[in-house]
Amino acid sequence: MKALSDFQAQVLQRVNDVRASGTTCGGVNAPAVPALRWNAALEKAAKKHSQDMATNNYFSHTSKDGRTFAQRITAAGYSYRLAAENIAAGQQSVDSVMKGWLASAGHCRNIMLAGAKDIGVAVVRTTHADFPTYWTMDLASPR
C-alpha cells in the first residue's frame, strides 16, 4: 500500500482542483466553486467516525450508537449552517477514493457543494474489519 502519511494534503488538493475546474456529477454539470480550507474540528469528527467504523466493523453514515454525521460534527466543536459527509471503505489510495467519490453522483455533489467552506478528512487502517481502510470526509460551512 502506498503510504498515506500526506493523504490530507493530497485530498485537499484533489478536492480543490475539482472544485476549481468544475465537473459532471451523475450526468449533471457542476460548475466551478470556491476552494475549501482544512478544518481541525471537521477532521476530528471524520477521524472519530472512521475509527468507529473500523473498530466496530460497520459501514454507515449513522454511528452504531445512532448518531448522525451532523451530531458528530457538532460534538467535535463545529457550529455549522450546512454540512455533508462522504464515506468510503477499502480504497488504498487518495486516487482510488477520490475516483470513487467523483463517480458517485451524491458524493460528487457533496464535493461540489457551493456553500461549503471547510473540509476535514480521515482514513483509518485496520486488520480487524471487513475493509482495510475506512474513509470519512466532512464538508461544512460555519454559522
Side-chain angles (χ1 to χ4, degrees), residues 15-22 31-36 110-114 116:
V15 166
N16 283 335
D17 286 349
V18 171
R19 287 175 65 90
S21 63
V33 292
L36 299 174
N110 285 345
I111 289 170
M112 296 304 293
L113 189 60

Side-chain angles (χ1 to χ4, degrees), residues 95-116:
D95 186 52
S96 63
V97 77
M98 286 298 298
K99 281 181 183 176
W101 281 332
L102 292 171
S104 162
H107 293 101
C108 181
R109 282 192 300 272
N110 285 345
I111 289 170
M112 296 304 293
L113 189 60

Side-chain angles (χ1 to χ4, degrees), residues 4 7 10-11 14-15 59 86-104 107 111 121-123 133-137:
L4 290 172
F7 80 92
Q10 291 178 44
V11 170
R14 288 286 304 275
V15 166
F59 181 69
N86 289 343
I87 58 174
Q91 292 83 355
Q92 299 290 312
S93 68
V94 168
D95 186 52
S96 63
V97 77
M98 286 298 298
K99 281 181 183 176
W101 281 332
L102 292 171
S104 162
H107 293 101
I111 289 170
V121 182
V123 60
T133 56
Y134 288 83
W135 299 79
T136 304
M137 171 189 284

Side-chain angles (χ1 to χ4, degrees), residues 28-51:
V28 177
N29 184 48
V33 292
L36 299 174
R37 61 189 175 218
W38 195 262
N39 182 275
L42 293 177
E43 176 188 353
K44 179 180 175 182
K47 177 77 172 189
K48 284 189 171 192
H49 189 55
S50 287
Q51 186 64 60

